[in-house]
Amino acid sequence: MASVTASTDDIDKAAGLLRAGRLVAFPTETVYGLGANAEDAAAVTGVFQAKGRPPSHPLIVHIGGADLLGEWVEDVPETARLLAERFWPGPLTLVLRRAPRVPLEATGGLETVAIRVPGHPVALALLSAFGGGVVAPSANRFGSVSPTTAEHVRAELGDVVDFVLDGGPCDVGVESTIVDLTSETPSVLRPGGVTREDLEAVLGRPVTVPSTSHVRVPGQHPSHYAPRARVVLVEPEKVVVEAELAQEQGHQVGVLLPPSSGEPTTAHAVVPVPGSMADYARNLYGFLREFDQRGCDLVVASLPPEEGLGLAIANRLRRAAGPRD
C-alpha cells in the first residue's frame, strides 16, 4: 500500500470542501478519483458536469470501512460479507440494492448502488475526516485515459477541481473490479484489480464475466480509457508488421511491444510491455498518456492472456480501441 504523502492539514481542508459541496480529487490504490459528498445531490451532479459524463452512468460510492456497508445498502448478503472481509480495503466494488440515503443522482437513476472501501491511506484518512460517503469516478474527462498521478488530474481537469490531494502514484493502476451481487450468481461487470480467480477462491464457486449486463456500471461505454491517438489491436506476432505498415503510410505510430516480440521497429514511439501483469496494469494508463505526449496518432497493441490481471488489461485496451463518438 502507498505511503501517506498528503498532510493532515490538506486532508482536513479536503474534507471541509466536501462538506461545502465542492469537488476534491484524491488518490486511491487504483486511480485518482473526482470526489463529492455522496449524499449531496447538487455536488454529485457537479461531478457529472465536470467530467462531461452522462448522468445515466452510475458512480461508485466510497466508504471508510466494511462495517459501514449496512448504512448504504438495503441488504448485505453473505457473499458481500465474505468478499468485503477478504478484499476491503482494496480494489473491489460491490453492486447491491441502495439504501435511502444514497440519492438517485449517484446511481444513474437505478435502485442499485456500486460501493467500495479504497485501499489507500490518503483516501481512508479523507473518508475518516469527512465522516461520510464520497462518490468518486476517475478524475478525468469522460471516456479518456484515467489518471494515476496528481499531475495527470491537474493537467486534464485544471480549475474544475477545487482541490487535489497528492498521494503519489497509484499502486494498482487500473480501476476496481465490479461484482454484481443482486442476483443468485455473482458476476464480474468490470474486470479490475481483484481477479476472477481470487473471487472464485473466496466464494468457492464459479464467477461469470458476462459480455453484457442489464445493470449499468462505470466503464461500459464502447469507447473508454482512450488516449487521443487511435488504438488498433492485432495479434502479438503482427504488432511490428502493422506498426511498420502504418508508419510507412504516414502515421506517427506508438507501439506497445509484447514481451514475445524480438523484432525491431522504426515506429515513432515504442514502449516494451512489462512481463509482469501487475507492472503492466500499474503502468498501462501512463503508457497511453506517453503516446499522446509524444505526438502519436495511432497506437498498435495486442491483448495479453485473459487470465488474472490480464483480463482487466485486455478489457481496458478493448475499450480504448472502441468506436469513437
Side-chain angles (χ1 to χ4, degrees):
M1 185 178 288
S3 60
V4 176
T5 55
S7 68
T8 300
D9 287 346
D10 282 348
I11 289 168
D12 288 342
K13 176 181 178 179
L17 288 168
L18 290 173
R19 293 189 199 98
R22 309 287 285 277
L23 303 184
V24 172
F26 65 95
T28 75
E29 77 282 22
T30 58
V31 300
Y32 272 71
L34 180 59
N37 181 354
E39 296 177 85
D40 183 336
V44 172
T45 299
V47 171
F48 286 99
Q49 293 171 342
K51 284 178 60 70
R53 180 187 180 103
S56 59
H57 286 236
L59 304 178
I60 295 173
V61 176
H62 295 66
I63 60 175
D67 58 312
L68 303 174
L69 183 58
E71 300 178 17
W72 294 89
V73 304
E74 277 291 339
D75 180 55
V76 183
E78 183 60 24
T79 50
R81 296 186 191 280
L82 284 171
L83 293 177
E85 180 180 346
R86 170 61 181 83
F87 296 111
W88 281 358
L92 179 68
T93 294
L94 304 180
V95 176
L96 296 158
R97 300 293 174 188
R98 76 176 182 96
R101 75 183 294 182
V102 182
L104 289 171
E105 285 83 357
T107 67
L110 300 177
E111 290 300 326
T112 54
V113 61
I115 195 160
R116 84 177 185 103
V117 178
H120 193 292
V122 172
L124 292 172
L126 175 62
L127 288 164
S128 176
F130 173 59
V134 175
V135 294
S138 55
N140 57 283
R141 300 292 180 184
F142 179 71
S144 67
V145 181
S146 302
T148 53
T149 68
E151 290 74 20
H152 293 163
V153 179
R154 296 186 184 103
E156 184 153 356
L157 292 183
D159 293 340
V160 169
V161 184
D162 294 297
F163 191 61
V164 179
L165 271 176
D166 190 343
C170 300
D171 287 342
V172 176
V174 292
E175 290 81 356
S176 61
T177 301
I178 299 179
V179 178
D180 178 21
L181 297 179
T182 61
S183 59
E184 189 66 27
T185 302
S187 59
V188 173
L189 303 185
R190 181 181 71 183
V194 172
T195 69
R196 174 175 55 183
E197 294 85 348
D198 288 340
L199 294 169
E200 291 176 338
V202 170
L203 296 178
R205 54 172 162 154
V207 175
T208 63
V209 187
S211 56
T212 59
S213 171
H214 69 282
V215 180
R216 296 195 306 272
V217 295
Q220 288 180 322
H221 195 267
S223 176
H224 217 77
Y225 319 111
R228 291 191 299 274
R230 184 166 63 92
V231 177
V232 175
L233 301 177
V234 300
E235 296 299 318
E237 65 273 13
K238 296 180 180 178
V239 166
V240 171
V241 172
E242 291 294 331
E244 293 295 309
L245 178 60
Q247 193 81 15
E248 291 172 7
Q249 293 172 341
H251 289 285
Q252 293 284 85
V253 180
V255 180
L256 279 171
L257 195 66
S260 58
S261 178
E263 301 178 66
T265 173
T266 59
H268 178 68
V270 179
V271 172
V273 170
S276 158
M277 287 297 102
D279 288 342
Y280 194 5
R282 185 178 303 113
N283 291 288
L284 174 62
Y285 293 147
F287 293 157
L288 295 178
R289 287 178 179 273
E290 180 181 342
F291 290 134
D292 279 345
Q293 292 165 359
R294 295 178 65 177
C296 297
D297 61 17
L298 183 72
V299 173
V300 180
S302 62
L303 299 178
E306 296 189 42
E307 56 189 26
L309 279 175
L311 181 63
I313 296 167
N315 170 269
R316 301 314 189 271
L317 286 172
R318 282 200 180 93
R319 299 291 183 182
R324 309 288 175 99
D325 292 336

